[in-house]
Amino acid sequence: MFYFFSKLLDFLLLPSFWIFLFLFIAFFKPKRRKRMLGIALLIFLIFGNGFLFNSALHSLEHNDQKMMNISYEYGLLLGGYGEYAAQIKGLELNEGADRLHHALRLYKQRKIKKIIVLSGAYSDEYPSITEGKITVDFLKECGVPERDILLESKSRNTYENALYAKELLERENIKGQGLLISSAFHMRRANACFEAQGIQCTPYATDYRSKKENFSLETHILPSSKYLIEWRIIFKEIIGYWVYAIRGYI
């Protein structure tokens, strides 16, 4: 139920949804048409602005990288970077692929000794194939020995990532310091969840999406519809953090 409502909330928080809603009201309520159209235009101008979006995203991203020049016992790889694709019979990466890329790179550089894959996410089309399972196959294809890969494939959100990771670490008797690998915009909530479970690990942020851009009419003045969807990242993390705090997850 929590999973369903979290997805519903993601949808309701989209600026594009609110624009559609006010346009819908304007169509059926002639007396309120000017006001509703004005509100819809204002939402588009604000949330379609690239400068405002990048500024908000930059303030959300974790920028305090404290990785020491030592080897860590393990890297905790949080999912959200791909899903099963029947066309290639394997893992198809998305915009979060930087998480997986850095986990593999750190292992190859011997910065981490094991990769712990944390993801039970699946596509609606292939509910029996989790992101975690196909990630293990991908890592083995990239030359990572099976002995250095651990899998937790039940979790479907960040809280469960931490909860089941703790169980796995205790079951496998894995001790020592680890790296927590996730996207920069997600790191604050993720790190808080793992700390709440008593897992002491060093944050290793990846997938930085904010951009430092010089002034241009395109990003500072002219709105773009592409940002209306991207704001979901920011809203999801802010709301998610406070919901987790209220529920005692962090």
Side-chain angles (χ1 to χ4, degrees), residues 47-102:
F47 292 101
N49 185 277
F51 173 75
L52 293 178
F53 171 76
N54 275 305
S55 297
L57 185 58
H58 180 72
S59 66
L60 181 66
E61 288 180 332
H62 179 91
N63 290 302
D64 188 19
Q65 204 79 298
K66 292 182 178 179
M67 181 180 177
M68 295 175 286
N69 190 28
I70 61 174
S71 177
Y72 291 79
E73 292 299 316
Y74 56 88
L76 294 161
L77 171 60
L78 272 62
Y81 43 77
E83 62 181 15
Y84 179 77
Q87 296 87 344
I88 60 173
K89 294 182 173 59
L91 180 65
E92 183 173 70
L93 300 174
N94 59 29
E95 65 275 10
D98 209 32
R99 301 184 188 189
L100 178 57
H101 164 73
H102 277 275

Side-chain angles (χ1 to χ4, degrees), residues 6-114:
S6 67
K7 295 301 180 183
L8 178 61
L9 184 61
D10 286 348
F11 174 74
L12 295 178
L13 288 174
L14 285 172
S16 52
F17 166 76
W18 286 98
I19 291 175
F20 172 81
L21 179 63
F22 285 112
L23 290 176
F24 182 83
I25 296 173
F27 183 81
F28 288 100
K29 298 288 185 179
K31 292 183 179 180
R32 300 183 181 180
R33 184 164 297 165
K34 287 185 178 181
R35 180 179 296 179
M36 295 299 102
L37 290 175
I39 294 174
L41 178 61
L42 183 62
I43 293 174
F44 178 62
L45 291 175
I46 293 175
F47 292 101
N49 185 277
F51 173 75
L52 293 178
F53 171 76
N54 275 305
S55 297
L57 185 58
H58 180 72
S59 66
L60 181 66
E61 288 180 332
H62 179 91
N63 290 302
D64 188 19
Q65 204 79 298
K66 292 182 178 179
M67 181 180 177
M68 295 175 286
N69 190 28
I70 61 174
S71 177
Y72 291 79
E73 292 299 316
Y74 56 88
L76 294 161
L77 171 60
L78 272 62
Y81 43 77
E83 62 181 15
Y84 179 77
Q87 296 87 344
I88 60 173
K89 294 182 173 59
L91 180 65
E92 183 173 70
L93 300 174
N94 59 29
E95 65 275 10
D98 209 32
R99 301 184 188 189
L100 178 57
H101 164 73
H102 277 275
L104 183 59
R105 183 178 65 84
L106 290 167
Y107 176 82
K108 293 291 187 179
Q109 292 177 345
R110 299 183 180 180
K111 297 292 185 181
I112 55 177
K113 298 177 182 178
K114 293 183 182 295

Side-chain angles (χ1 to χ4, degrees), residues 192-209:
C193 284
F194 280 79
E195 285 185 346
Q197 293 296 328
I199 303 174
Q200 298 300 318
C201 47
T202 300
Y204 187 86
T206 69
D207 186 23
Y208 286 89
R209 302 191 188 185

Side-chain angles (χ1 to χ4, degrees), residues 200-225:
Q200 298 300 318
C201 47
T202 300
Y204 187 86
T206 69
D207 186 23
Y208 286 89
R209 302 191 188 185
S210 63
K211 300 176 181 178
K212 293 183 179 180
E213 298 176 329
N214 296 325
F215 177 84
S216 69
L217 291 176
E218 183 179 355
T219 58
H220 288 66
I221 305 296
L222 298 178
S224 172
S225 59

Side-chain angles (χ1 to χ4, degrees), residues 45-195:
L45 291 175
I46 293 175
F47 292 101
N49 185 277
F51 173 75
L52 293 178
F53 171 76
N54 275 305
S55 297
L57 185 58
H58 180 72
S59 66
L60 181 66
E61 288 180 332
H62 179 91
N63 290 302
D64 188 19
Q65 204 79 298
K66 292 182 178 179
M67 181 180 177
M68 295 175 286
N69 190 28
I70 61 174
S71 177
Y72 291 79
E73 292 299 316
Y74 56 88
L76 294 161
L77 171 60
L78 272 62
Y81 43 77
E83 62 181 15
Y84 179 77
Q87 296 87 344
I88 60 173
K89 294 182 173 59
L91 180 65
E92 183 173 70
L93 300 174
N94 59 29
E95 65 275 10
D98 209 32
R99 301 184 188 189
L100 178 57
H101 164 73
H102 277 275
L104 183 59
R105 183 178 65 84
L106 290 167
Y107 176 82
K108 293 291 187 179
Q109 292 177 345
R110 299 183 180 180
K111 297 292 185 181
I112 55 177
K113 298 177 182 178
K114 293 183 182 295
I115 300 176
I116 301 179
V117 181
L118 305 171
S119 177
Y122 58 83
S123 66
D124 293 334
E125 190 175 1
Y126 303 100
S128 64
I129 305 176
T130 67
E131 181 185 31
K133 290 179 180 178
I134 52 177
T135 298
V136 171
D137 294 336
F138 175 83
L139 290 173
K140 289 192 292 186
E141 290 173 2
C142 292
V144 181
E146 190 171 0
R147 65 178 181 273
D148 290 339
I149 306 172
L150 292 171
L151 171 64
E152 179 287 299
S153 60
K154 296 187 296 182
S155 59
R156 296 181 64 185
N157 57 49
T158 308
Y159 165 68
E160 292 182 353
N161 286 155
L163 181 66
Y164 296 138
K166 182 180 180 180
E167 293 180 1
L168 187 152
L169 291 170
E170 291 177 349
R171 184 172 65 250
E172 299 291 334
N173 195 30
I174 298 175
K175 303 184 184 299
Q177 188 76 2
L179 284 180
L180 179 60
I181 305 168
S182 189
S183 298
F185 64 82
H186 180 240
M187 186 55 74
R188 182 187 179 197
R189 180 158 59 109
N191 192 45
C193 284
F194 280 79
E195 285 185 346

